[in-house]
Amino acid sequence: MSALHLTVVSDAICPWCWIGKRRLDQALELLAEREPGLAFEVSFFPFLLNPDMPAEGMDRASYRAAKFGSLERSRELDAQVAAAGAESGLEFRHDRMTRTPDTTNAHRLARFAAEQDRQRAVVEAIFCAYFNEGCDIGDVVVLAELGAAQGLDRETTLARLRSDEAVAEVRAQAASARRAGITGVPSFVLNRHFLFSGAQPAETIADALIAAARHPAIAQAR
């Protein structure tokens, strides 16, 4: 039976997208045991939470204070995210995060990684680099190093990131997601059918994928 195409619409600076990815990974492990006949091809589709972010990014404290009204409120939200992440085995280190980047380059790297079937590993590396290590994931040198650690050729990747390759495509895809009605991430789409948004628990994701896979409209598209 052919695999179902599961698209995850996400952004590299969305903490719930990292949590959602981890919960999806856990859900797929559950499905491998419960429904071994179901197979999923997972890909990541770009979304820009801050489409007008300057290419060099912004000071994170200033950005968050402006967005949420105060730095104190931002820290409260960070604590909530960190607690939710810990439940899924993720460690958020907001104390290391000093900049909010433009994520266009991170999405480009994920796009390049997909060409070599390394997208899921690279996306995970990007999330970890930002949320755990506090790296500037808008920096092309940082991204090239992340890609190299996951098997991409460093110099080739760096040259591509320093060019304007796929910049327009990434921004067009992100804009198309908004036009399609997606306003929150992570969002999950199965064989072009929207399923849900949000970092749902692994069991909930697994149940939703089973139910969706059995829906006639999706089953006939396999």
Side-chain angles (χ1 to χ4, degrees):
M1 188 175 291
S2 60
L4 292 161
H5 187 193
L6 179 62
T7 302
V8 184
V9 184
S10 68
D11 196 4
I13 60 163
C14 167
W16 292 104
C17 290
W18 193 24
I19 296 172
K21 180 186 178 299
R22 176 56 59 89
R23 292 177 178 175
L24 172 62
D25 291 341
Q26 294 166 343
L28 294 176
E29 290 178 2
L30 291 174
L31 288 174
E33 298 176 1
R34 290 167 48 184
E35 297 284 341
L38 282 180
F40 298 90
E41 293 179 354
V42 181
S43 64
F44 289 82
F45 193 91
F47 191 86
L48 295 173
L49 287 171
N50 303 304
D52 298 321
M53 178 67 66
E56 67 275 12
M58 295 178 61
D59 173 75
R60 184 174 187 271
S62 300
Y63 164 76
R64 298 275 292 179
K67 181 174 182 177
F68 297 110
S70 70
L71 195 55
E72 179 180 348
R73 177 55 179 161
S74 170
R75 288 170 177 161
E76 290 175 356
L77 294 173
D78 284 345
Q80 293 174 15
V81 164
E87 294 177 357
S88 296
L90 302 175
E91 182 183 13
F92 283 82
R93 291 296 306 269
H94 295 102
D95 57 308
R96 296 173 175 172
M97 300 163 61
T98 61
R99 296 194 66 74
T100 296
D102 172 15
T103 56
T104 301
N105 288 333
H107 289 304
R108 293 169 66 214
L109 178 62
R111 182 187 180 97
F112 300 156
E115 299 169 1
Q116 299 182 41
D117 197 27
R118 298 180 185 275
Q119 189 182 56
R120 287 177 68 181
V122 167
V123 167
E124 177 67 25
I126 293 170
F127 280 136
C128 186
Y130 182 60
F131 289 114
N132 181 261
E133 300 169 20
C135 297
D136 182 358
I137 57 168
D139 187 314
V140 296
V141 175
V142 170
L143 291 171
E145 294 290 350
L146 292 176
Q150 301 304 321
L152 304 185
D153 181 80
R154 181 190 182 281
E155 296 308 315
T156 299
T157 302
L158 182 58
R160 296 178 76 180
L161 288 169
R162 281 176 167 162
S163 75
D164 61 359
E165 180 182 353
V167 171
E169 290 84 348
V170 162
R171 290 192 165 273
Q173 286 184 320
S176 73
R178 289 187 182 274
R179 288 196 300 273
I182 292 177
T183 57
V185 287
S187 288
F188 298 82
V189 179
L190 188 64
N191 277 23
R192 297 182 178 274
H193 293 264
F194 179 84
L195 295 184
F196 58 85
S197 289
Q200 305 294 333
E203 286 277 0
T204 302
I205 294 175
D207 291 341
L209 290 176
I210 291 172
R214 292 173 177 167
H215 191 282
I218 293 178
Q220 291 173 7
R222 298 180 73 173

